Amino acid sequence: MNKHHVLKGTVAALVATAMLAGVSGMAYAADGKSAAEQLAGHGAAQRIAGMYGNQHAKNVILFIGDGMGDSEITVARDYLYGANGSFDGLDKIGQPSAYGDTTVGTGQYTTFSLGNGIQDKGNPTVTPVTDSAASGSAWATGTKTYNNALDVDVYGNPQLNLTELAKAAGKATGNVTTSEIQDATPAAQMSHSTLRSCYGPQGKTDGSSNNAADQCEVAQLKENGGIGSISEQMLDTRADVTIGGGAKYLHQVVQGGEYKGMTVWDQAKAMGYETVEKDVDALNALEYTGKPVLALMADGNLQTRFAPSVATKKDPAKDENPIQCAVNPDWLGNENANGNSASLADMTSKAIDLLEANEKGKENGFFLQVEGASIDKQDHNANACGQIGETDDLDKAISAALGKVDLSETLIIVTADHAHTSQIVEEQPNYALSTVLESPVDHAKITVSYGTSPDQMYANDDDPKFDEVESSMSHTGTQLRIAASGPGAQRVIGLTDQTDNFFTIANALGLKSTTEDMKTLSDGADANLVVDEKGQRVEFSGFDGDASVTYTVTDPTNGDAVIATSGEATDPVSGVRVRTDQTMSIDLTGKLTEGKTYRVTITGRQSGKVVVKDFQAPAAAAGDDSQVVPGETVENPGDNTSAAGQQTGVAGVLGKYGSAIAAVVVLIAALVSTALALKTVKGRRH
């Protein structure tokens, strides 16, 4: 061996080591961590990480068919349009030149989660079959989580979602669904919850009882210093347009915070929402007024387009008398006496109109998620007609959107959250429930089998269990179809993962998508004292890189006595929920002494940003006069923090410069190895 070969080998080893240090997955493997742990980080499950392209869209519309696997699409197409037919929207997205658009893509993506429930929190476990919550969280945040979790990682830490990031970028936002708005898929665009069942401050009830202790983690509830239920967080998220069901959960009474004692509906009105409750005419009459719209069109889930069909065990009579689906008279898509309706297509059209009229939408574009929710719910019920009608309802919503937007500036993505149990089979199976349909188009006999449970989904009186949380037929873990048209559509081609969808959308819209970049959204956070006829308060804003903050107001002249505090944040879902791109306040009315100096400390729980300011309490304002007391930034308020929010000391240095230090350590180790190698060569030569 000569010196040249040793040096060459050492340099190669140094380069390889540096590459290992820069690739997190490889580094985890070297640490001996399991595959599930490697996949738990933000973006860690991407299949095409870093391949984002340079096409940008002004708008993105994401259509989700809940439970709409390839089989569910085929069942609906064969029945409604014939085996050789096609959907006008669902099958045209991703189809080259279908709408004069050559920027298209069609592919498949994987949907696994990292745990089968909250019992797996903190212990990531590859789980082949996802639920809607973990699935929605994956594309909403780019982070895998456990089933039943919403926008938190497997350790319970909140992850920023596309709606929050779009708002931080100055875009208009919307959320439309045929389910309860608190249900998993829409909730993934507006909340962070360790349990998907935490619908309201009193749990999943109509307000006449309180089961929050059973439906929510205690630390998340506002009365315990938490960020609040899904309904309360929906108001904090403040999408510009929110349309769906679930009105009854807003009749719950707020249990903590500044709106304590109000119903959630009253809180929405107090926060300036334009509200509509179960009124089709009022929905149709909505125009943009500058207020966010909250329109909930049913107490629970919206009625389906088709009346239910009943799957039964094998019976030759079913082959002799195949059925056809009938329209449900209670479906909101039926025109009322005033000629108005509220199908998913109607709601989508209204949402787009409102978003395009919005000043932010005009200037910066919008992000809109639209869900056809009851494909899943009726598949659970082994209700073939129900799921067929809901698939067609989603298709018509896609067509409605295509008639309103320009695909040269709008990216439309159509996909699902998980597949389901229905299958077209050759004949009635002996072992499973089935329904035999006759297509009204080509008159083919279509046998749809439901094979994941032997149980009937109907009571003795044949009433469908539409609103059951636990249903009989189950999800499946197969990969799903994803199709796109518009700028950036090619990124869905081939095999991707649900988390790739987050990065596709974020990069098309120019949103922050990495953890470090998201943290920078809180760089401009600030706080000031405001005194006016409403009282005295600290107003703060700019924590857009955070899902929650904590705060403390103290009297430095009195041993740092606490004047006001959000409480000690001991759980990832405790603290004050951030209202992205909004001003928040800390009420200090009656707590300040004129002329005395106070200190406010506000900490972003995700970004680590700390704002520390001293201000002097002025005299109370009279009449309508108001005054803002900017305060003075405190450069070194404590042992380990600065006003910029960066830690000092050893922990702070490692936090800020950890990567650089690690690289230096690797470099030193490599150089030492080189020196030793050269010494060895020299020893051998002598």
Side-chain angles (χ1 to χ4, degrees), residues 528-532 535-539 618 626-629:
N528 294 297
L529 177 67
V530 176
V531 179
D532 57 19
Q536 301 169 325
R537 62 191 179 278
V538 170
E539 290 190 345
S626 64
Q627 47 189 310
V628 177
V629 183

PDB file of all heavy atoms in Angstrom, residues 528-532 535-539 618 626-629:
ATOM      1  N   ASN A 528     -47.258  44.325  21.635  1.00  0.00           N
ATOM      2  CA  ASN A 528     -47.396  45.692  22.135  1.00  0.00           C
ATOM      3  C   ASN A 528     -48.569  45.776  23.099  1.00  0.00           C
ATOM      4  O   ASN A 528     -49.535  45.006  22.993  1.00  0.00           O
ATOM      5  CB  ASN A 528     -47.627  46.686  20.988  1.00  0.00           C
ATOM      6  CG  ASN A 528     -46.424  46.812  20.074  1.00  0.00           C
ATOM      7  OD1 ASN A 528     -45.360  47.233  20.494  1.00  0.00           O
ATOM      8  ND2 ASN A 528     -46.602  46.412  18.819  1.00  0.00           N
ATOM      9  N   LEU A 529     -48.488  46.735  24.022  1.00  0.00           N
ATOM     10  CA  LEU A 529     -49.599  47.012  24.924  1.00  0.00           C
ATOM     11  C   LEU A 529     -50.575  47.962  24.238  1.00  0.00           C
ATOM     12  O   LEU A 529     -50.166  48.957  23.643  1.00  0.00           O
ATOM     13  CB  LEU A 529     -49.090  47.642  26.222  1.00  0.00           C
ATOM     14  CG  LEU A 529     -50.172  48.042  27.231  1.00  0.00           C
ATOM     15  CD1 LEU A 529     -50.869  46.803  27.794  1.00  0.00           C
ATOM     16  CD2 LEU A 529     -49.569  48.877  28.356  1.00  0.00           C
ATOM     17  N   VAL A 530     -51.857  47.646  24.312  1.00  0.00           N
ATOM     18  CA  VAL A 530     -52.904  48.499  23.747  1.00  0.00           C
ATOM     19  C   VAL A 530     -53.881  48.864  24.852  1.00  0.00           C
ATOM     20  O   VAL A 530     -54.331  48.000  25.613  1.00  0.00           O
ATOM     21  CB  VAL A 530     -53.645  47.789  22.600  1.00  0.00           C
ATOM     22  CG1 VAL A 530     -54.798  48.653  22.089  1.00  0.00           C
ATOM     23  CG2 VAL A 530     -52.686  47.462  21.466  1.00  0.00           C
ATOM     24  N   VAL A 531     -54.192  50.159  24.934  1.00  0.00           N
ATOM     25  CA  VAL A 531     -55.154  50.650  25.918  1.00  0.00           C
ATOM     26  C   VAL A 531     -56.223  51.439  25.174  1.00  0.00           C
ATOM     27  O   VAL A 531     -55.916  52.380  24.443  1.00  0.00           O
ATOM     28  CB  VAL A 531     -54.477  51.549  26.973  1.00  0.00           C
ATOM     29  CG1 VAL A 531     -55.507  52.064  27.976  1.00  0.00           C
ATOM     30  CG2 VAL A 531     -53.365  50.789  27.690  1.00  0.00           C
ATOM     31  N   ASP A 532     -57.482  51.032  25.319  1.00  0.00           N
ATOM     32  CA  ASP A 532     -58.581  51.762  24.682  1.00  0.00           C
ATOM     33  C   ASP A 532     -59.849  51.546  25.495  1.00  0.00           C
ATOM     34  O   ASP A 532     -59.792  51.090  26.646  1.00  0.00           O
ATOM     35  CB  ASP A 532     -58.754  51.333  23.225  1.00  0.00           C
ATOM     36  CG  ASP A 532     -59.003  49.840  23.066  1.00  0.00           C
ATOM     37  OD1 ASP A 532     -59.396  49.180  24.061  1.00  0.00           O
ATOM     38  OD2 ASP A 532     -58.810  49.309  21.958  1.00  0.00           O
ATOM     39  N   GLY A 535     -60.378  48.275  27.243  1.00  0.00           N
ATOM     40  CA  GLY A 535     -59.554  47.903  28.381  1.00  0.00           C
ATOM     41  C   GLY A 535     -58.079  47.907  28.049  1.00  0.00           C
ATOM     42  O   GLY A 535     -57.626  48.613  27.143  1.00  0.00           O
ATOM     43  N   GLN A 536     -57.325  47.113  28.763  1.00  0.00           N
ATOM     44  CA  GLN A 536     -55.879  47.016  28.591  1.00  0.00           C
ATOM     45  C   GLN A 536     -55.526  45.593  28.178  1.00  0.00           C
ATOM     46  O   GLN A 536     -56.023  44.626  28.747  1.00  0.00           O
ATOM     47  CB  GLN A 536     -55.172  47.367  29.908  1.00  0.00           C
ATOM     48  CG  GLN A 536     -55.491  48.770  30.412  1.00  0.00           C
ATOM     49  CD  GLN A 536     -55.006  48.983  31.838  1.00  0.00           C
ATOM     50  OE1 GLN A 536     -55.044  48.063  32.654  1.00  0.00           O
ATOM     51  NE2 GLN A 536     -54.567  50.193  32.144  1.00  0.00           N
ATOM     52  N   ARG A 537     -54.648  45.481  27.190  1.00  0.00           N
ATOM     53  CA  ARG A 537     -54.283  44.153  26.705  1.00  0.00           C
ATOM     54  C   ARG A 537     -52.950  44.211  25.973  1.00  0.00           C
ATOM     55  O   ARG A 537     -52.564  45.269  25.472  1.00  0.00           O
ATOM     56  CB  ARG A 537     -55.354  43.609  25.760  1.00  0.00           C
ATOM     57  CG  ARG A 537     -55.562  44.443  24.509  1.00  0.00           C
ATOM     58  CD  ARG A 537     -56.810  44.023  23.743  1.00  0.00           C
ATOM     59  NE  ARG A 537     -57.017  44.857  22.555  1.00  0.00           N
ATOM     60  CZ  ARG A 537     -57.595  46.051  22.576  1.00  0.00           C
ATOM     61  NH1 ARG A 537     -58.015  46.569  23.725  1.00  0.00           N
ATOM     62  NH2 ARG A 537     -57.753  46.731  21.446  1.00  0.00           N
ATOM     63  N   VAL A 538     -52.283  43.089  25.931  1.00  0.00           N
ATOM     64  CA  VAL A 538     -51.103  42.942  25.081  1.00  0.00           C
ATOM     65  C   VAL A 538     -51.562  42.286  23.789  1.00  0.00           C
ATOM     66  O   VAL A 538     -52.173  41.214  23.804  1.00  0.00           O
ATOM     67  CB  VAL A 538     -50.021  42.077  25.752  1.00  0.00           C
ATOM     68  CG1 VAL A 538     -48.921  41.729  24.746  1.00  0.00           C
ATOM     69  CG2 VAL A 538     -49.417  42.799  26.939  1.00  0.00           C
ATOM     70  N   GLU A 539     -51.330  42.937  22.672  1.00  0.00           N
ATOM     71  CA  GLU A 539     -51.636  42.350  21.382  1.00  0.00           C
ATOM     72  C   GLU A 539     -50.352  41.810  20.764  1.00  0.00           C
ATOM     73  O   GLU A 539     -49.304  42.467  20.809  1.00  0.00           O
ATOM     74  CB  GLU A 539     -52.270  43.384  20.449  1.00  0.00           C
ATOM     75  CG  GLU A 539     -53.674  43.789  20.873  1.00  0.00           C
ATOM     76  CD  GLU A 539     -54.393  44.615  19.824  1.00  0.00           C
ATOM     77  OE1 GLU A 539     -53.706  45.122  18.896  1.00  0.00           O
ATOM     78  OE2 GLU A 539     -55.624  44.760  19.928  1.00  0.00           O
ATOM     79  N   PRO A 618     -49.719  52.975  30.895  1.00  0.00           N
ATOM     80  CA  PRO A 618     -50.149  54.375  30.911  1.00  0.00           C
ATOM     81  C   PRO A 618     -51.476  54.516  31.652  1.00  0.00           C
ATOM     82  O   PRO A 618     -52.045  53.528  32.134  1.00  0.00           O
ATOM     83  CB  PRO A 618     -50.326  54.686  29.428  1.00  0.00           C
ATOM     84  CG  PRO A 618     -50.799  53.378  28.860  1.00  0.00           C
ATOM     85  CD  PRO A 618     -50.099  52.298  29.654  1.00  0.00           C
ATOM     86  N   SER A 626     -57.492  55.642  21.844  1.00  0.00           N
ATOM     87  CA  SER A 626     -56.708  54.446  22.138  1.00  0.00           C
ATOM     88  C   SER A 626     -55.245  54.787  21.995  1.00  0.00           C
ATOM     89  O   SER A 626     -54.865  55.748  21.331  1.00  0.00           O
ATOM     90  CB  SER A 626     -57.078  53.306  21.176  1.00  0.00           C
ATOM     91  OG  SER A 626     -56.734  53.641  19.857  1.00  0.00           O
ATOM     92  N   GLN A 627     -54.430  54.009  22.660  1.00  0.00           N
ATOM     93  CA  GLN A 627     -52.995  54.228  22.558  1.00  0.00           C
ATOM     94  C   GLN A 627     -52.281  52.897  22.557  1.00  0.00           C
ATOM     95  O   GLN A 627     -52.706  51.932  23.172  1.00  0.00           O
ATOM     96  CB  GLN A 627     -52.491  55.108  23.710  1.00  0.00           C
ATOM     97  CG  GLN A 627     -52.984  54.713  25.092  1.00  0.00           C
ATOM     98  CD  GLN A 627     -52.627  55.754  26.135  1.00  0.00           C
ATOM     99  OE1 GLN A 627     -51.476  56.162  26.205  1.00  0.00           O
ATOM    100  NE2 GLN A 627     -53.593  56.158  26.939  1.00  0.00           N
ATOM    101  N   VAL A 628     -51.209  52.853  21.780  1.00  0.00           N
ATOM    102  CA  VAL A 628     -50.387  51.664  21.688  1.00  0.00           C
ATOM    103  C   VAL A 628     -49.063  51.955  22.350  1.00  0.00           C
ATOM    104  O   VAL A 628     -48.428  52.981  22.079  1.00  0.00           O
ATOM    105  CB  VAL A 628     -50.157  51.253  20.214  1.00  0.00           C
ATOM    106  CG1 VAL A 628     -49.231  50.058  20.137  1.00  0.00           C
ATOM    107  CG2 VAL A 628     -51.491  50.956  19.541  1.00  0.00           C
ATOM    108  N   VAL A 629     -48.665  51.089  23.253  1.00  0.00           N
ATOM    109  CA  VAL A 629     -47.392  51.250  23.954  1.00  0.00           C
ATOM    110  C   VAL A 629     -46.446  50.189  23.406  1.00  0.00           C
ATOM    111  O   VAL A 629     -46.524  49.014  23.771  1.00  0.00           O
ATOM    112  CB  VAL A 629     -47.573  51.079  25.474  1.00  0.00           C
ATOM    113  CG1 VAL A 629     -46.257  51.324  26.194  1.00  0.00           C
ATOM    114  CG2 VAL A 629     -48.663  52.010  25.984  1.00  0.00           C
TER     115      VAL A 629
END
